[in-house]
Amino acid sequence: MYLHPELETMPRSEINRLQMERLQQTLQRCMCIPFYKQRFAEIGLKPEDIHTLDDLQKIPFTTKQDLREHYPFGLSAVPLEKVVRLHSSSGTTGTPTVILHTQHDLDEWANAVARCLYMVGLRKGDIFQNSSGYGMFTGGLGFQYGAERLGMLTVPAAAGNTKRQIKFITDFGTTALHAIPSYAGRLYEVMEEMGIDPRRDTKLRTLIIGAEPHSDEQRRRIEDMLGVKAYNSFGMSEMCGPGVAFECPEQNGLHIWEDYYIVEIVNPDTLEPVPEGEIGELVLTTINREAMPLLRYRTRDLTRILPGDCPCGRHHKRLDRMKGRSDDMMILKGVNIFPIQIENILMQFKELGNEYLITLTNLEANDEMTVEVELNDFTDDYGFLQRLTKEITRQLKDEILITPRVKLVPKGSLPKQEGKAVRVKDLRKTLI
Amino acid sequence: MTIHQLSVFVENKSGTLLQVLELLKDAGIQLIASTISDTVEYGIYRIICSEPMRAYDTLKQAGIAANLSDVFAIMLDNQPGCAADAIRSFSEAGIGISYLYSFLLSGKGILVFRTDDAEKTYQVILDKDLDYIEEKRLLEMA
């Protein structure tokens, strides 16, 4: 039932004690990083001043911007020769962010993912197919190592090529699959086209879904379609990747592994802690990482801590499913997209005005993006307008990896922006 | 040899066309012919009218995306086959018609069109001695 029973069933008082101990070690490591050393010095804070978990609030937040400013190795707490792995964000919105790992970090990451997979009933003997992107994206290697750590036969199928994925599922007798929720729907569609009944023709019984916000309703639909149990996964590259928080068989919130992370929920505007049960921004402190410890990292993800005990016997706090982002990042089909990326493309077309509006919708669990953009002027040339639409669509797709519906609108027809521009209308039903 | 055509970019939603027509009505501008072509997203509303310049200014001042362009207009006898004969001349010269609309005015057939090669079109009209219409003449007929 538990892969690491002593850690997973640890009572609250023990968790707190372990967290304090690991936090102290982490703070010592942070003093090897000029960035943190200076930050502490600026406010006259010493690691010794942190006696209780509440003292954590004396420490300033770390942001993505801090990671960018110290790209690539500026936040390393260890000499570079001790670093064995680097993961990086795509860097589409500016300088990429880099996360460094020692061998110890990779081992612990694999342990955390293995613990998650074990928790939902996966065992040696299971065949685990990972349809996540490999490479810099942490969903690939993170699940690979975790699944192997558990001793499962692991298929690094990687993203895409749906028919091949299905062939693997049927030929190899895949019992567990990791996929983003919208892709699970796609798999089912293609199975239907191929005349494959997932209940009858496959051994699939466990699905791991994550990387994009989805409703419980959507999860139930996926479960019904594929005849599986689907469990929520939460992670982010700054915190390693997958394995940060995971649903237990109760399917009611994701246990965040508090022997790895200290979790806080703060009001994204005031940055004050919010009472348990209220929605706010998730802030995480790594306490089991060597190469690149992060103190009070603002994840920008909005969620809340679910109150009460979990019948599964684990005392690690449970996060509610993610409600969206505190900044304006959009997550579509598992891909992170910033409005600024779209703006940058649109603004290169002299035919287009300054006003644009991005509308997100979801039909049948498929995220759709519509980009309305004002024409500066127009010539009475149909073909030209069509070519323009096509070219904008193509360039946007190259940039954000998703094909938006581009809609040219006459100048003056979009609402004029006053103050902070509202560029994104998220009409997806799964959010809040 | 060409006449002015007013083109308006209209969003595909109820009321946009009416707004344009109301503005022209208030400005006392007479429509001679008009046509609308559409995609799913937007349409181009093309208008031949009295005082196209003033019509253009009126729409622009109201913040409407409008455009003035030159189109050919030729007059034909109102008899079967006249349009075919006229268009054949362009076709034989390898000219493509981008769009075309036609209407009757004072018992004559009028073809309004744009081609993919204005220079060649001029030449064909002259060579074949087609009865092209100048703006002034069109307004007199209207």
Side-chain angles (χ1 to χ4, degrees):
Chain A
M1 192 175 180
Y2 310 108
L3 184 64
H4 309 129
E6 68 292 354
L7 289 164
E8 289 177 63
T9 61
M10 205 173 242
R12 174 54 39 194
S13 59
E14 276 297 297
I15 291 178
N16 290 351
R17 193 198 51 76
L18 179 69
Q19 285 194 323
M20 207 45 228
E21 186 187 310
R22 290 187 170 179
L23 177 62
Q24 287 294 352
Q25 292 164 1
T26 299
L27 291 173
Q28 290 308 323
R29 282 189 212 118
C30 287
M31 290 307 111
C32 304
I33 308 171
F35 164 74
Y36 278 122
K37 207 175 165 185
Q38 191 189 334
R39 275 245 165 131
F40 274 58
E42 274 167 10
I43 55 166
L45 187 69
K46 293 188 180 68
E48 305 87 85
D49 298 335
I50 311 294
H51 301 292
T52 67
L53 290 173
D54 285 341
D55 289 338
L56 197 65
Q57 285 176 34
K58 296 175 184 168
I59 302 173
F61 292 98
T62 306
T63 64
K64 201 176 189 78
Q65 190 56 31
D66 294 327
L67 299 191
R68 289 200 180 115
E69 283 170 10
H70 295 86
Y71 173 88
F73 305 134
L75 291 181
S76 183
V78 298
L80 212 53
E81 58 265 29
K82 283 196 75 180
V83 175
V84 300
R85 175 85 68 76
L86 177 156
H87 277 283
S88 169
S89 67
S90 57
T92 39
T93 55
T95 312
T97 56
V98 147
I99 298 294
L100 307 170
H101 301 278
T102 63
Q103 187 57 50
H104 165 269
D105 293 335
L106 290 186
D107 286 343
E108 285 292 359
W109 181 12
N111 283 338
V113 176
R115 182 193 293 178
C116 298
L117 298 175
Y118 193 91
M119 177 164 69
V120 298
L122 299 181
R123 299 289 183 271
K124 192 178 168 72
D126 270 302
I127 296 175
F128 183 85
Q129 185 168 324
N130 188 14
S131 76
S132 179
Y134 277 71
M136 288 302 206
F137 181 56
T138 53
L141 288 168
F143 272 108
Q144 182 74 28
Y145 280 72
E148 286 176 0
R149 174 66 47 96
L150 209 51
M152 291 192 282
L153 195 169
T154 310
V155 183
N161 200 339
T162 309
K163 283 193 173 155
R164 197 179 64 144
Q165 297 277 359
I166 294 166
K167 186 173 164 52
F168 287 169
I169 290 170
T170 53
D171 291 1
F172 303 156
T174 299
T175 58
L177 177 75
H178 169 233
I180 59 172
S182 54
Y183 192 62
R186 174 74 191 140
L187 272 174
Y188 180 70
E189 274 174 27
V190 178
M191 278 185 183
E192 268 198 319
E193 283 167 22
M194 294 166 75
I196 290 171
D197 175 351
R199 290 166 196 270
R200 186 191 63 205
D201 305 324
T202 78
K203 292 184 176 158
L204 215 51
R205 60 177 167 80
T206 306
L207 190 72
I208 309 296
I209 47 176
E212 67 184 4
H214 60 283
S215 63
D216 204 38
E217 188 184 300
Q218 194 179 347
R219 184 244 297 273
R220 295 296 167 213
R221 209 158 52 216
I222 291 168
E223 289 186 327
D224 283 348
M225 283 187 309
L226 293 171
V228 294
K229 278 275 181 200
Y231 300 97
N232 245 318
S233 159
F234 172 75
M236 59 171 60
S237 61
E238 293 95 318
M239 295 296 134
C240 283
V244 176
F246 217 83
E247 262 182 339
C248 69
E250 298 294 326
Q251 293 183 309
N252 183 20
L254 300 88
H255 289 283
I256 177 149
W257 301 124
E258 292 186 84
D259 49 332
Y260 288 81
Y261 307 100
I262 297 176
V263 55
E264 297 171 82
I265 306 285
V266 303
N267 178 316
D269 297 321
T270 64
L271 300 179
E272 292 295 320
V274 303
E276 191 172 273
E278 274 184 31
I279 289 173
E281 182 179 326
L282 178 67
V283 171
L284 294 174
T285 298
T286 69
I287 51 170
N288 195 11
R289 189 196 262 171
E290 282 182 348
M292 204 169 148
L294 293 174
L295 301 176
R296 304 193 82 203
Y297 183 72
R298 288 187 62 183
T299 66
R300 304 285 178 170
D301 280 306
L302 296 175
T303 185
R304 64 191 181 116
I305 292 182
L306 293 174
D309 287 328
C310 184
C312 78
R314 292 175 186 84
H315 301 288
H316 297 256
K317 286 174 186 165
R318 285 170 303 146
L319 299 180
D320 199 357
R321 54 184 63 243
M322 297 299 139
K323 306 291 184 188
R325 299 281 301 179
S326 68
D327 54 16
D328 52 9
M329 189 182 84
M330 302 169 271
I331 304 178
L332 264 92
K333 304 185 184 191
V335 180
N336 295 350
I337 301 167
F338 288 84
I340 194 75
Q341 289 173 266
I342 290 164
E343 189 173 305
N344 287 342
I345 298 286
L346 297 179
M347 295 310 137
Q348 284 167 24
F349 287 87
K350 59 181 190 325
E351 297 88 349
L352 303 178
N354 290 325
E355 300 298 337
Y356 66 95
L357 182 67
I358 300 161
T359 307
L360 307 178
T361 51
N362 58 350
L363 195 70
E364 298 293 317
N366 262 324
D367 288 339
E368 302 279 5
M369 176 189 284
T370 303
V371 178
E372 286 174 273
V373 59
E374 285 187 0
L375 275 172
N376 241 343
D377 219 325
F378 95 104
T379 59
D380 170 32
D381 188 339
Y382 220 123
F384 173 80
L385 291 175
Q386 281 182 316
R387 283 193 300 277
L388 180 65
T389 306
K390 221 171 147 183
E391 180 59 18
I392 297 167
T393 309
R394 190 188 67 78
Q395 289 200 23
L396 284 175
K397 195 202 169 210
D398 280 355
E399 173 65 28
I400 62 174
L401 309 176
I402 279 168
T403 308
R405 177 163 159 244
V406 173
K407 199 172 161 184
L408 301 176
V409 299
K411 199 170 186 172
S413 69
L414 289 176
K416 285 277 167 286
Q417 303 291 347
E418 283 168 21
K420 189 172 162 21
V422 178
R423 298 296 191 193
V424 182
K425 265 201 312 198
D426 197 338
L427 305 178
R428 290 180 292 183
K429 287 191 284 283
T430 50
L431 290 174
I432 304 188
Chain B
M1 196 187 280
T2 51
I3 59 170
H4 283 111
Q5 172 191 256
L6 185 65
S7 307
V8 185
F9 185 88
V10 285
E11 252 191 298
N12 199 354
K13 67 181 183 196
S14 180
T16 47
L17 197 57
L18 180 64
Q19 195 197 354
V20 173
L21 290 171
E22 294 272 25
L23 283 164
L24 296 180
K25 174 188 167 188
D26 293 346
I29 287 162
Q30 188 201 347
L31 297 186
I32 296 169
S34 74
T35 176
I36 191 159
S37 55
D38 70 295
T39 63
V40 177
E41 312 291 10
Y42 52 81
I44 298 177
Y45 184 38
R46 299 187 169 106
I47 304 165
I48 304 292
C49 63
S50 66
E51 302 177 84
M53 304 292 191
R54 197 161 66 79
Y56 173 76
D57 287 341
T58 303
L59 295 183
K60 279 301 231 192
Q61 271 165 29
I64 291 193
N67 177 276
L68 270 182
S69 51
D70 294 318
V71 290
F72 292 98
I74 55 175
M75 187 154 69
L76 305 168
D77 286 328
N78 185 18
Q79 275 173 21
C82 289
D85 294 341
I87 297 301
R88 185 180 301 111
S89 312
F90 299 112
S91 172
E92 284 170 349
I95 297 166
I97 306 274
S98 305
Y99 58 80
L100 174 150
Y101 48 106
S102 67
F103 49 95
L104 281 173
L105 199 60
S106 307
K108 290 286 191 177
I110 314 284
L111 288 188
V112 173
F113 59 97
R114 169 126 101 189
T115 68
D116 56 9
D117 191 334
E119 283 303 313
K120 263 195 191 171
T121 307
Y122 279 116
Q123 210 48 57
V124 170
I125 289 174
L126 293 176
D127 291 351
K128 300 284 177 179
D129 202 17
L130 294 171
D131 189 7
Y132 66 85
I133 302 179
E134 299 278 17
E135 205 152 297
K136 192 164 166 280
R137 188 171 158 214
L138 186 72
L139 294 179
E140 281 165 1
M141 288 173 73

